[in-house]
Amino acid sequence: MLPKKLQDKLNQRREANALRQLKVPNAELVDFSSNDYLGFSKNQAIFSRTGEILKEQNLELNGAAGSRLLSGNHKLYELTERFIAKTHQVEAALIFNSGYDANVGFFGSVPQRGDVILYDEFIHASIRDGIQMSHAKAYKFKHIDLNDLESKLSLRAQSRSLEKANDSQIYVVTESVFSMDGDSPDLLKLVELCEQFSAQIFIDEAHAIGVFGTGIIDDLGLGHRVTRLVTFGKAMGCHGAGILGSENLKSYLVNFARSLIYTTALPPHSVATILAAYQHAVSDSKLPNSALKKLRENIRANGPTVHPEFQKAPK
């Protein structure tokens, strides 16, 4: 039986007409609510290629049967992580079961006691939850406000210089595209500002991957200057996520990210779908009628209120 105080919270939600429920979507309706921006979740070429990959690797299995540190690290992980790293031109990629797992794993293990995290006030809930698991102190800055960020960076830098132990690290966290309003910070200026204060930079690109090709960070050529989250459950149309960065960061997360260590790995089919989706995205982007170009044309047709990048002619 549910405890009374929990039942009361449910009743309050119900009375406020805010009770969340799981429903099966009506297949006859037009989809204006999912994150399947490019239609990849229903793409038959990706579906077929996934089966081919499994056969090529002799991995026609239903599950991974263990965590990645035990029996679950099948060879498709290595192939897919290499392909993702090459696509984004970074040293290494590490696949997690979801974007939530990746963010919780990173922020729950990387920032240390004595470190400081500065995060955009509209940052995703998964990052907030990861920050709560961290021993670092955390402070929010005003949404995409670089002046406020600079003020807080300056204050933290002054505090650090006054402390005896000056090995504390500052982490700045934002998203390249915020899901609720579709706005973006000036990432180039943000990176330059953070580097001025020797701060580490983490960019969540969950809603930029696919919609902006391989992401805004790649468009700006900033991949070697930041750590990134990329997710596969939105424009890529499948499931999972990856942290992009250095080989040393990958090794650290394999050793200390609890959401990677203590969970069963993705089954081969899921990882094969990620690889198939990435391969399709790379090849499709070279076509004159690519899914990305169609998406951009549709968005541009909505007028000048859309993201500034989409006011440009599609590449």
Side-chain angles (χ1 to χ4, degrees):
M1 184 175 179
L2 196 65
K4 183 180 182 302
K5 56 186 177 182
L6 301 186
Q7 186 63 54
D8 289 344
K9 293 183 74 171
L10 270 181
N11 293 339
Q12 290 170 11
R13 280 282 174 91
R14 190 174 287 110
E15 291 168 4
N17 197 29
L19 185 68
R20 295 186 176 102
Q21 293 177 291
L22 298 174
K23 297 181 180 180
V24 177
N26 188 334
E28 297 179 358
L29 299 178
V30 177
D31 179 7
F32 287 104
S33 61
S34 82
N35 300 316
D36 189 21
Y37 305 126
L38 300 174
F40 277 16
S41 73
K42 303 176 183 69
N43 186 286
Q44 287 298 310
I46 293 174
F47 184 85
S48 298
R49 177 59 186 147
T50 297
E52 292 173 0
I53 291 171
L54 290 170
K55 290 180 180 179
E56 290 169 3
Q57 300 301 321
N58 193 27
L59 280 171
E60 297 180 82
L61 306 171
N62 293 324
S67 74
R68 292 194 64 181
L69 288 170
L70 294 175
S71 60
N73 195 46
H74 44 81
K75 54 189 174 183
L76 264 177
Y77 267 112
E78 184 178 346
L79 289 172
T80 305
E81 287 173 342
R82 280 207 310 262
F83 191 89
I84 291 171
K86 182 179 179 181
T87 299
H88 292 285
Q89 299 182 9
V90 295
E91 280 189 22
L94 180 63
I95 293 175
F96 285 76
N97 285 14
S98 69
Y100 192 99
D101 283 341
N103 277 333
V104 167
F106 181 91
F107 288 98
S109 65
V110 172
Q112 301 292 296
R113 193 180 302 278
D115 291 344
V116 171
I117 304 169
L118 301 177
Y119 63 95
D120 188 289
E121 63 181 339
F122 290 172
I123 206 70
H124 192 266
S126 59
I127 294 178
R128 286 177 175 268
D129 288 355
I131 289 173
Q132 287 184 345
M133 295 171 64
S134 169
H135 294 296
K137 294 181 179 179
Y139 307 91
K140 63 185 178 183
F141 59 90
K142 294 177 182 177
H143 180 52
I144 64 174
D145 188 333
L146 296 190
N147 290 327
D148 189 44
L149 173 59
E150 182 174 12
S151 174
K152 288 179 169 58
L153 279 168
S154 179
L155 180 63
R156 300 320 309 171
Q158 292 174 23
S159 298
R160 183 167 56 180
S161 66
L162 293 174
E163 295 172 357
K164 293 181 179 179
N166 59 5
D167 62 344
S168 64
Q169 184 64 61
I170 300 174
Y171 293 87
V172 173
V173 189
T174 190
E175 300 180 31
S176 59
V177 177
F178 283 83
S179 61
M180 299 305 292
D181 297 316
D183 52 356
S184 299
D186 187 328
L187 289 168
L188 185 58
K189 288 185 179 179
L190 182 143
V191 169
E192 292 173 347
L193 177 62
C194 292
E195 290 177 342
Q196 178 184 337
F197 289 93
S198 300
Q200 298 288 321
I201 309 157
F202 184 95
I203 308 293
D204 187 324
E205 286 233 277
H207 289 275
I209 297 300
V211 179
F212 290 88
T214 57
I216 297 179
I217 294 299
D218 282 349
D219 283 350
L220 296 174
L222 298 173
H224 61 292
R225 298 162 71 178
V226 306
T227 300
R228 271 178 288 175
L229 168 84
V230 294
T231 59
F232 316 130
K234 297 178 172 62
M236 301 307 287
C238 43
H239 190 67
I243 297 288
L244 310 183
S246 67
E247 288 285 0
N248 284 339
L249 174 62
K250 179 175 180 176
S251 179
Y252 181 87
L253 292 172
V254 167
N255 280 273
F256 294 101
R258 296 171 70 85
S259 60
L260 178 87
I261 298 167
Y262 297 107
T263 191
T264 299
L266 289 172
H269 186 277
S270 293
V271 184
T273 307
I274 296 168
L275 178 56
Y278 254 84
Q279 290 175 341
H280 184 83
V282 170
S283 60
D284 183 71
S285 65
K286 301 173 184 177
L287 300 176
N289 61 339
S290 70
L292 175 58
K293 289 182 179 178
K294 289 179 181 177
L295 174 66
R296 290 195 170 211
E297 288 166 359
N298 288 339
I299 294 174
R300 289 175 66 239
N302 288 330
T305 59
V306 300
H307 195 287
E309 178 67 21
F310 288 125
Q311 295 177 27
K312 305 174 185 177
K315 298 178 181 178

